């Protein structure tokens, strides 16, 4: 709890809301777990990396903004885009039925009513990964230059594997990478408001 309070004391990216209050519709987490104070102070941004699967345990959507400890916070992907573009804020566009989109750096990201994107998953791609050994010894410097880089794990024993619609065991860090790719290539999936009626 103390870590959660400490995290909230550090300024977050400001946001604007266009339309109705989105808070009743957002995915909620009761607490925030902060990084080490040294990392928090040095960070240019801070986003949540928690991914909530659907009730069947499969990850199909990832929240772009959510509520944690009663505060609206961006996802890791959204805040990475904000920082990379040198932007100071993001925009939440919502209506009576919930959130419609999030905008950052001139890019509109369509979402469902709870501010989640439907991820257009591709298969696991080992070429997306760079070994920590190559980063430490400097041989990956050219490969990483000018790129958005996520640091994460892919070992099953570290318990960050997710089930996706196309693969039963998928590194959590690659889910975030595919969200970034979807946003940058504007290839997220969409499920319009009338979809449930059509399905029924």
């Amino acid at each position: 709890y103390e870590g959660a309070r400490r995290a909230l004391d550090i300024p977050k990216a400001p946001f604007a809301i266009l339309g109705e209050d989105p808070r009743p519709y957002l995915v909620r987490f009761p607490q925030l777990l902060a990084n080490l104070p040294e990392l928090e102070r040095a960070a240019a941004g801070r986003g949540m990396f928690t991914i909530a699967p659907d009730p069947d345990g499969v990850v199909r959507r990832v929240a772009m903004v959510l509520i944690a400890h009663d505060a609206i916070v961006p996802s890791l992907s959204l805040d990475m885009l904000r920082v990379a573009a040198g932007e100071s804020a993001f925009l939440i566009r919502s209506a009576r039925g919930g959130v419609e989109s999030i905008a950052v750096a001139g890019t509109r990201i369509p979402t469902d009513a709870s501010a989640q994107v439907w991820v257009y998953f591709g298969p696991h791609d080992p070429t997306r990964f760079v070994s920590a050994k190559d980063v430490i010894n400097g041989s990956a410097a050219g490969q990483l230059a000018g790129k958005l880089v996520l640091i994460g794990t892919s070992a099953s024993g570290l318990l960050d594997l997710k089930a996706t619609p196309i693969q039963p065991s998928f590194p959590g860090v690659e889910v975030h990478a595919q969200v970034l790719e979807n946003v940058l290539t504007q290839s997220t999936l969409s499920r319009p408001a009338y979809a449930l009626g059509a399905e029924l």
Side-chain angles (χ1 to χ4, degrees):
Y1 180 72
E2 193 57 38
R5 290 184 53 130
R6 189 169 58 244
L8 290 175
D9 291 338
I10 298 167
K12 293 182 285 295
F15 58 89
I17 297 170
L18 184 60
E20 302 288 325
D21 182 2
R23 288 172 179 85
Y25 305 98
L26 300 180
V27 175
R28 292 178 174 269
F29 291 95
Q31 300 288 334
L32 283 173
L33 180 60
N35 292 306
L36 294 171
E38 296 82 2
L39 295 177
E40 291 285 355
R41 284 193 294 272
R46 180 173 18 87
M48 294 281 288
F49 61 84
T50 302
I51 298 172
D54 285 344
D56 62 358
V58 177
V59 174
R60 296 178 180 88
R61 299 173 291 171
V62 174
M64 295 306 284
V65 294
L66 45 85
I67 293 184
H69 203 74
D70 296 325
I72 294 179
V73 293
S75 68
L76 172 65
S77 306
L78 182 63
D79 219 33
M80 277 188 73
L81 291 169
R82 180 191 66 80
V83 171
E87 295 290 321
S88 60
F90 57 90
L91 172 71
I92 303 171
R93 184 185 299 271
S94 58
R96 185 171 295 174
V99 178
E100 295 178 341
S101 65
I102 310 291
V104 64
T107 300
R108 180 182 168 273
I109 306 165
T111 69
D112 68 7
S114 58
Q116 298 183 94
V117 294
W118 289 86
V119 186
Y120 184 9
F121 282 105
H124 170 67
D125 183 357
T127 64
R128 295 178 191 271
F129 290 82
V130 175
S131 169
K133 173 182 68 72
D134 294 337
V135 174
I136 292 168
N137 70 26
S139 64
Q143 188 178 353
L144 300 178
K147 306 283 193 312
L148 293 173
V149 177
L150 294 158
I151 299 173
T153 64
S154 57
S156 59
L158 296 175
L159 304 178
D160 190 28
L161 295 176
K162 311 293 182 189
T164 70
I166 64 169
Q167 200 160 331
S169 183
F170 204 79
V173 66
E174 193 170 2
V175 173
H176 292 290
Q178 292 211 19
V179 170
L180 283 168
E181 184 178 77
N182 277 200
V183 170
L184 292 171
T185 60
Q186 297 185 333
S187 59
T188 56
L189 301 175
S190 64
R191 186 174 189 272
Y194 60 79
L196 179 60
E199 288 164 0
L200 290 172

